[in-house]
Amino acid sequence: MIIDCHGHYTTVPAPHTAWRKQQLAAWENDQTPPAYPAIPDDEIRESIEGSQLRLMRERGVDLTIFSPRASAMAHHEGDEAVSRQWAEACNDLIYRVTQLYPESFAGVCQLPQSPGVPIANSIAELRRCVEELGFVGCNLNPDPSGGHWTSAPLTDRSWYPFYETMVELDVPAMVHVSAVTNPNFHATGSAYLNADTTAFMQFLQADLFEDFPDLRIVIPHGGGAVPYHWGRFRGLADMLQRPPLHESVMGNVFFDTCVYHQPGIDLLFEVIDIDNLLFGSEMVGAVRGIDPQTGNYFDDTRRYVEALDLAIEDREKVFEGNARRVYPRLEQLIKA
């Protein structure tokens, strides 16, 4: 089985996106938003089968761990109530996809985060999605301000109530920021990669995983800059008198393979231990075009992994085993 750990519902039905605009307009004008639209199953099928599911079948991906569109989470827009209502609507839509295609998609939830609002206020939605909707994880935004980084580091104790719930529910979090309003950053070109790198450095500097030895964090997009500057981070750990990375961080942190060229994948697998790598493509997502140098889609990451000279057991870990270990609730879904 090939499991893609990183997929977003980027092709949502138009009424869903239209309602979001109405919701924000109502909030700006101090009005009550209209009721969420009734979206028929056929419209959801059309949005999935012509894009995500078609590409999965063409590329030989069996199961995608599926979450709401990252850039549309937009935690900086509206207030806490707006964010909660939006998160619930997005998660309910993901749930419907998982029910229509239970063999192809497993849900991961968006959280109702807002700048300045304690992350503990997101616990109820995490519980709902895991316990009632059967989701296997969550996306955690370390910067709900939209690119201005007003939140405390992920290692701050203010995050601990949420981590306690993650451990209790036995679900991981993927660190994933959203849209940005800071003009210095392009969302997918720099903000996402900045956040991935920043999260890793925060973990390096603190003892979070001593306090939560069972906590599991996925850093997407190949770990940001981390694998490509591994010597820098190893050296910083030494300079800051921190334990070696394999002792303090890498027992709890995992990277996906959302790196869109062969040399990048080659280096990722050379530097990072095979047990810390999960196959991912982020399709249909950040980079959708065809690479003129290869004639293949940039985000067809299975090609890059299969071009490596991996032992059979290592290939199985990357494509399936590591995801089942990091997302243990997948076992229940796969067996069902």
Side-chain angles (χ1 to χ4, degrees):
M1 175 180 284
I2 294 182
I3 300 173
D4 187 336
C5 77
H6 190 172
H8 296 297
Y9 196 179
T10 56
T11 58
V12 293
H16 177 77
T17 304
W19 181 81
R20 172 59 165 173
K21 295 179 180 178
Q22 294 171 338
Q23 184 208 28
L24 291 175
W27 176 77
E28 291 172 356
N29 292 288
D30 198 23
Q31 298 173 349
T32 302
Y36 185 79
I39 301 175
D41 287 350
D42 284 347
E43 196 163 351
I44 294 176
R45 290 189 182 98
E46 183 180 357
S47 72
I48 289 290
E49 292 182 3
S51 56
Q52 189 79 32
L53 197 57
R54 175 182 61 82
L55 290 172
M56 287 171 60
R57 288 168 176 164
E58 288 177 0
R59 301 176 188 183
V61 174
D62 299 295
L63 175 69
T64 293
I65 299 176
F66 206 45
S67 65
R69 183 177 183 178
S71 62
M73 294 190 299
H75 293 122
H76 60 282
E77 295 189 301
D79 57 15
E80 182 180 9
V82 167
S83 186
R84 182 172 305 281
Q85 190 179 35
W86 176 232
E88 291 172 355
C90 291
N91 292 332
D92 288 346
L93 198 59
I94 292 292
Y95 174 69
R96 291 183 63 186
V97 172
T98 66
Q99 296 306 290
L100 290 171
Y101 305 97
E103 295 183 354
S104 301
F105 297 98
V108 161
C109 68
Q110 171 179 328
L111 297 172
Q113 297 179 245
S114 289
V117 175
I119 188 61
N121 291 19
S122 293
I123 289 175
E125 181 62 7
L126 175 66
R127 284 194 178 278
R128 182 182 80 92
C129 289
V130 172
E131 297 177 334
E132 299 178 22
L133 307 186
F135 284 18
V136 301
C138 63
N139 285 341
L140 185 64
N141 188 348
D143 175 35
S145 70
H148 301 275
W149 287 89
T150 57
S151 297
L154 288 169
T155 52
D156 187 82
R157 298 191 73 87
S158 60
W159 296 88
Y160 276 30
F162 192 82
Y163 297 150
E164 291 168 358
T165 306
M166 285 176 54
V167 171
E168 175 196 339
L169 296 173
D170 202 16
V171 295
M174 176 176 282
V175 172
H176 212 307
V177 291
S178 185
V180 296
T181 60
N182 188 329
N184 290 287
F185 304 120
H186 181 274
T188 56
S190 57
Y192 287 9
L193 305 181
N194 292 346
D196 303 334
T197 310
T198 298
F200 185 88
M201 189 63 200
Q202 291 176 358
F203 296 146
L204 182 158
Q205 292 176 271
D207 298 318
L208 175 65
F209 301 122
E210 287 188 7
D211 293 337
F212 294 97
D214 296 324
L215 188 67
R216 298 182 303 280
I217 303 290
V218 179
I219 298 181
H221 318 116
V226 175
Y228 318 99
H229 292 279
W230 192 243
R232 176 182 293 260
F233 292 102
R234 288 178 52 243
L236 285 169
D238 181 65
M239 289 173 59
L240 296 171
Q241 298 183 336
R242 299 293 302 159
L245 297 178
H246 70 274
E247 295 179 7
S248 63
V249 179
M250 297 309 289
N252 304 80
V253 170
F254 308 87
F255 300 155
D256 71 14
T257 63
C258 294
V259 178
Y260 296 147
H261 66 146
Q262 192 66 51
I265 288 287
D266 293 348
L267 189 145
L268 174 66
F269 276 74
E270 181 179 347
V271 170
I272 303 301
D273 189 87
I274 202 75
D275 290 330
N276 293 87
L277 295 172
L278 281 65
F279 173 71
S281 69
E282 201 178 3
M283 75 170 186
V284 181
V287 180
R288 306 186 188 189
I290 294 177
D291 185 344
Q293 296 181 10
T294 67
N296 300 313
Y297 283 96
F298 282 103
D299 62 1
D300 187 359
T301 54
R302 179 179 173 179
R303 292 177 179 271
Y304 309 138
V305 176
E306 290 187 332
L308 301 170
D309 186 23
L310 295 179
I312 293 176
E313 58 271 23
D314 287 344
R315 181 176 296 192
E316 187 278 334
K317 285 181 178 181
V318 174
F319 279 135
E320 178 181 2
N322 291 344
R324 294 175 77 148
R325 177 167 52 89
V326 174
Y327 292 84
R329 285 180 176 265
L330 270 178
E331 288 297 321
Q332 303 172 27
L333 299 179
I334 292 171
K335 290 177 180 178

